[in-house]
Amino acid sequence: MKNIRLSLILIAIVNALISNGQTYSTSFEEDIFRSYKKDSLNYNFFKSLSSIDSLAKNEIVSKYQDKVLSVLRSFPPKESKEKKEKKRIKYIYDELHQTFFKKYVLNSYFTDMFKDGTYNCVTATALYAFAFDELNIPYHIKETPSHVFLVAYPNTHKIYLETTVPGAYGFIVPKETEVKKVVDELISYKLVTKEEVLAKGYMKFYEDYYYGNEFINKRSLIGMQYYNKGLFCFQAIDYDRAINNLRKSKVFYSSPLIKPILKNIMFLKVNDLEFNSEDDVDFLLELLSFSIYPEDYSLASLKSSLFKIVDHDDNDNVFIETVIDKFKILKTERVRNEALEFLYEYLARNAATDENLDEALGYSDEIIKVNSKSKIAQNIIEYVCFRKVVISTFDLESLKSFERNCEKYPFLKENKRYNISLAHLYGSISLMNFKNKSIKEGTSYLKKLENVLDNTDVLKEVNKNLLSELYLKVGNYYYYKEQHKASYKIYKKGLVYVPKNSDLIKRAQWSKHEL
């Protein structure tokens, strides 16, 4: 039995959770996978076929292998004449079949034939492949959309070996809706054109594209077992094991149906994850990595998962920054940027709310890298930069910091608070200089203040106590220097900005009287 073609209708009725992360049933199985990933050329075929058995151990599998080898040693040597060699192949075929195959069972695996003689077309073909390797008999493994079998001497005698009871393959032929989904994905990736698909029809194109090759590698038989087991688990509504086995199948075997089936199961799971662990996030990233946006999922679906990440009580900023680092390696640019923008927005808002202004500014800079037109980033930057002025000491360093921010973020100058901030900074710096007898500096910043107040409409927003104190301080400086004309001018200017201030009115009258 090869591919168990379950209708995607089954996917629609899935309503349970599947767990994330690939696991192994035994250390034996784990060692097989690790060894294969390190060296996919030199691997033990027999042991790899046995890895799916949860009871498999090296000593047990070695006994199974020895049993096969003892049978192989009884076979006659290769014949030079074609007719005799064909007869020998038939003899080998019959002996192996009679020795190891007792009953065809759809859901059976390689080691089952040594336990109770149950087999299917995948495991039977695998045994013949192992035997032919040992006997130096050339062969090809042929794959069709619904079956797998073996051809001995493919370039000469072409001996087709059917490994199951004729007509009892134990498979479900893929429905046209499944096939259409797979082929449409090829079109979306621009691997094929719509025209060449329509010219043949979906079913014919599917068979030619995926099964037109002359033969497949024997390692596919290892993966086919996991593929079939995954689909049986899926049918049994054991989704934890279904997804785990489908993932394992991909290591050895490439089937066009693995990805869409796995993808659909994972989409159902992702809605139920809490996203309070890195495993959950890795699961989402794995799903996004082989999904097509926006055909497979919408922006709303993505943001729903992201919201769970930021909303969970267990997830602090350190965790969310770890999530961000994971999303940065996502290859689909649009999805990557949407996720990064969403997560950085959350961090920036929180930092601004908690008055962690430098953090908020840093996160906002990251948003702008992803989306230079982000209104949210602009709003946060405006809040932070103007808030920094409000809580500053209104000294020269505060002014320089504000000017640097305005140079970095030119849009700050378009905000009314820009001139309000400048007015308070200029006024405060001017007052401090006059208090410190730095008259030249104080006068310079006083002129800058008046330029803002006289050429913008921000006067109503400027602190009147600051203006009153400043103009009294400057006017008094000139008054006690007996420069009454200058003091009168200053007091009168102050009354333009604070017309009802009694001290300025009184001082202006004194200066006028002295004149």
Side-chain angles (χ1 to χ4, degrees), residues 46 62-75 96 99-100 110 113-114 127 130-131 134:
F46 195 98
S62 294
K63 288 181 181 178
Y64 294 154
Q65 184 171 336
D66 288 342
K67 185 176 182 180
V68 176
L69 292 174
S70 68
V71 174
L72 299 183
R73 283 193 287 270
S74 68
F75 293 150
L96 288 173
T99 302
F100 297 104
F110 187 68
M113 68 178 73
F114 306 110
L127 182 66
F130 174 77
E134 294 294 319

Side-chain angles (χ1 to χ4, degrees), residues 1-3 32-33 36 43-52 101 108-111 113 120-133 139-144 147-151 161 163-164 215-229 245 248-255 258:
M1 177 225 42
K2 188 218 163 195
N3 308 332
I32 291 295
F33 274 80
Y36 181 79
Y43 66 97
N44 190 304
F45 181 55
F46 195 98
K47 287 185 177 181
S48 298
L49 287 166
S50 305
S51 63
I52 199 168
F101 306 153
S108 61
Y109 303 98
F110 187 68
T111 54
M113 68 178 73
N120 57 38
C121 76
V122 172
T123 60
T125 300
L127 182 66
Y128 284 114
F130 174 77
F132 285 6
D133 281 338
Y139 65 91
H140 282 169
I141 301 168
K142 298 287 288 184
E143 183 183 25
T144 73
H147 190 42
V148 60
F149 58 95
L150 188 143
V151 181
L161 302 178
T163 55
T164 61
F215 62 93
I216 61 172
N217 192 288
K218 66 181 181 182
R219 64 172 171 263
S220 295
L221 299 171
I222 305 166
M224 285 177 189
Q225 291 193 99
Y226 284 104
Y227 175 80
N228 288 338
K229 189 171 184 178
N245 280 288
K248 291 175 184 176
S249 72
K250 291 167 59 180
V251 176
F252 298 98
Y253 172 53
S254 177
S255 166
I258 293 177

